[in-house]
Amino acid sequence: MSSFTFIVNGPASLKRIIEALWKVPQGWVVTIRKPKRSNDQNAKMWAMLTDVSIARPEGRELTPKVWKTLFMHSLDHELRFETALDGKGMVPIDYSTSQLSKDRMSDLIESIYEYGSRHGVRWSEPEQEAA
């Protein structure tokens, strides 16, 4: 036994998880967490950030990476800044989305949509047809 990942999706999966827990050697660490953001969510976010960057809302010429930091800040994601090594300016630390839950990532994507829609951003993804 080296490592296991389970997804809880009903009674059968819970039973398998409990059975596996009885076999875990003493001293191992068990972590239960919300699912992290998906690769599809990440790809969507970067495409949207690129669309916002190209649109230059309010004349702001920013890279997708800078836009990401601004949107994460708008959702109260904890951002920390440290003084640059040369002492000139501040550098943002810990603004990665890789540890966001799927729910928080959905909130971030919705925030980008809302902002972009208010500022006339043309989205590169195809529009969904009304059902």
Side-chain angles (χ1 to χ4, degrees):
M1 216 186 331
S2 60
S3 158
F4 293 93
T5 301
F6 295 96
I7 297 174
V8 178
N9 58 15
S13 65
L14 285 172
K15 183 178 179 195
R16 285 192 305 277
I17 293 167
I18 292 167
E19 289 169 358
L21 286 173
W22 279 108
K23 297 176 185 175
V24 172
Q26 186 173 355
W28 276 45
V29 176
V30 176
T31 303
I32 299 173
R33 63 169 174 78
K34 287 183 174 183
K36 292 181 184 173
R37 60 112 168 113
S38 70
N39 289 336
D40 286 343
Q41 283 179 308
N42 190 53
K44 179 182 190 71
M45 177 198 67
W46 282 110
M48 294 175 71
L49 292 169
T50 299
D51 292 341
V52 172
S53 184
I54 290 168
R56 297 190 322 211
E58 300 173 335
R60 299 175 83 169
E61 293 187 43
L62 305 172
T63 65
K65 191 172 183 177
V66 172
W67 280 109
K68 179 181 81 164
T69 303
L70 293 173
F71 283 113
M72 289 184 69
H73 181 266
S74 75
L75 292 177
D76 294 328
H77 182 77
E78 184 177 331
L79 299 175
R80 200 175 92 225
F81 293 83
E82 292 291 335
T83 304
L85 293 176
D86 62 6
K88 299 176 184 175
M90 301 295 284
V91 179
I93 307 295
D94 294 337
Y95 62 94
S96 171
T97 60
S98 64
Q99 299 304 311
L100 291 181
S101 68
K102 286 185 175 185
D103 292 343
R104 289 293 286 163
M105 189 65 161
S106 291
D107 292 343
L108 179 61
I109 289 170
E110 286 303 315
S111 174
I112 299 168
Y113 266 133
E114 189 277 327
Y115 178 88
S117 296
R118 278 191 293 117
H119 290 88
V121 172
R122 290 182 55 212
W123 303 113
S124 58
E125 69 180 350
E127 290 188 27
Q128 301 272 336
E129 290 187 24

